[in-house]
Amino acid sequence: MNTEILKRLDDAISSTLIGNSKDPDCNVGAAICIIKDGKEVYRNEYGEADKENHIPMERNSIFRCYSMTKPITAVAVMTLVEKGVIALSDPVSNFIPSFKNQTVLTEKGYVPAKREVVIQDLLNMTAGLTYPDASFPAGKEMQNMIDKYYADVEAGNPISTYDLAVLIGEQPLEFQPGEGWRYSFCADVLGAVIEVVTGKTYGEYLKETIFEPLGMTETDFYVPIEKQNRFMQNYQYMPETQTMEPCTWQHLGLTYMHKKKPLFESGGAGLVSTIDDYSKFVNMMLGKGTLGNVRILGRKTVEIMTRNNLTPKQLEMYDWDTIKGYGYGNLMRVMMDVPASQSFGSEGEFGWDGWLGSYVAMDPKENLAIIYVIQKCGGNGYRDIQVIRDIVYSAL
């Protein structure tokens, strides 16, 4: 790759993307890593990981993955499919009984589910589950559930990964299983399924099956105290002061600001990692399931994982600006139509991003990956990602 062209990333990220402001009080730290043919070809860090304590971004800064957790959960599920322990057609109620006899809640009221939710529905976000969202009936029920969950946590009564999945299954679905697409708690339920099948906590299974074999020693569901001096602060923009301030709240069932081991280990949003660690996962995926002498998945499994699984009807609900041109399957976006994305890329490129703006893209055709890290509530929007992608692909 042309490293002179890749240097354009520095100006793009430091001058416009981190905070869109020349005022240091509005800027947050960021980092970029470009991988080509299994090797890091460009890497840089920008700004401060913690501006209150003037801690600069470093190569080993730890970030909250949020939904960049989801591709790892998909891989964990597929390791069990390969072992013959679960099948993608298995009803979720085989593992979590509250998914039996579910109901669907629409504006017209409750109706019985026509069929059971299966594992593949969870991997495709087509189960009818929701995240908390008071703007529609089923989302409001999930909001009420998670509000009580946080009240219990506040009272010193947190619940486990499995028990939260039971509560999720007790809430009504938004639509009939398989008849739509909704971003939701699906990946968290998969973490609980893995616990039931393996008899281990979700974190234990990830460590034994993925993290330890790949040497991902910095990836976990919390940051131990001895590493917290490397932990990036999470910021939110405050319109009244026009400054970035540390975020003091959490959602999606996350607890303790990632600074204490949680009882609920979120397969959808809970992991923390470093770029070096996440790069090992990325290189394994681009290596068709293998990194060096370590095999996590088979070649055919990765090929099956990284394709669109949504029907035209399901794609009608898959309508965010950030995923134009993409399909979806196995907790990841998959590029189907490069021109529709209004950005450079390749068909078959896959990955996902996180709520704080961090982003990963893996392109098998070019054997190329982009890992971008920031920690800002809601991120900066899709234009950031378009700019980064366009610079990277123009360097090929």
Side-chain angles (χ1 to χ4, degrees), residues 19 24 42 95 98 108 128 157 168 206 208 221-223 234 280 299 340 343 349 371 381 385:
Y42 201 78
F95 316 101
S98 63
K108 298 178 180 179
N157 300 306
I168 292 168
L206 288 180
E208 293 178 13
F221 286 103
Y222 76 108
V223 181
N234 173 21
K280 294 171 184 175
R299 172 184 61 82
S343 181
E349 171 252 303
I371 304 174
I385 301 306

Side-chain angles (χ1 to χ4, degrees), residues 125-305:
M125 296 280 179
T126 56
L129 297 180
T130 77
Y131 271 138
D133 187 339
S135 68
F136 58 95
K140 188 174 189 302
E141 291 297 308
M142 198 68 81
Q143 182 69 63
N144 292 339
M145 182 275 287
I146 209 71
D147 288 346
K148 183 180 183 305
Y149 163 87
Y150 274 114
D152 289 342
V153 171
E154 195 71 23
N157 300 306
I159 65 172
S160 68
T161 306
Y162 175 80
D163 288 338
L164 184 55
V166 170
L167 290 175
I168 292 168
E170 290 173 351
Q171 309 313 308
L173 304 175
E174 179 189 2
F175 50 78
Q176 293 289 344
E179 293 189 3
W181 183 89
R182 173 70 72 175
Y183 204 50
S184 65
F185 278 124
C186 284
D188 301 289
V189 175
L190 287 167
V193 169
I194 289 171
E195 291 193 340
V196 172
V197 168
T198 65
K200 307 175 189 294
T201 69
Y202 185 44
E204 288 170 348
Y205 186 75
L206 288 180
K207 282 187 177 179
E208 293 178 13
T209 309
I210 300 174
F211 300 158
E212 289 178 355
L214 292 179
M216 296 172 65
T217 59
E218 305 270 33
T219 305
D220 207 333
F221 286 103
Y222 76 108
V223 181
I225 191 166
E226 65 271 16
K227 296 182 180 181
Q228 288 178 12
N229 63 322
R230 296 192 279 116
F231 193 22
M232 294 176 69
Q233 180 59 264
N234 173 21
Y235 290 97
Q236 61 180 334
Y237 181 69
M238 307 299 288
E240 58 274 19
T241 58
Q242 297 185 347
T243 59
M244 290 288 187
E245 302 297 337
C247 181
T248 58
W249 54 275
Q250 289 184 283
H251 62 329
L252 308 178
L254 301 177
T255 52
Y256 313 132
M257 305 306 290
H258 286 98
K259 293 184 177 180
K260 176 182 171 183
K261 184 175 176 62
L263 195 56
F264 164 53
E265 296 177 324
S266 169
L271 289 175
V272 297
S273 191
T274 62
I275 283 183
D276 283 347
D277 258 27
Y278 208 92
S279 293
K280 294 171 184 175
F281 175 79
V282 165
N283 278 322
M284 179 274 294
M285 291 297 285
L286 287 175
K288 301 187 186 303
T290 300
L291 180 64
N293 295 322
V294 176
R295 179 194 182 278
I296 304 297
L297 291 174
R299 172 184 61 82
K300 200 64 184 177
T301 306
V302 176
E303 289 176 3
I304 290 169
M305 285 182 69

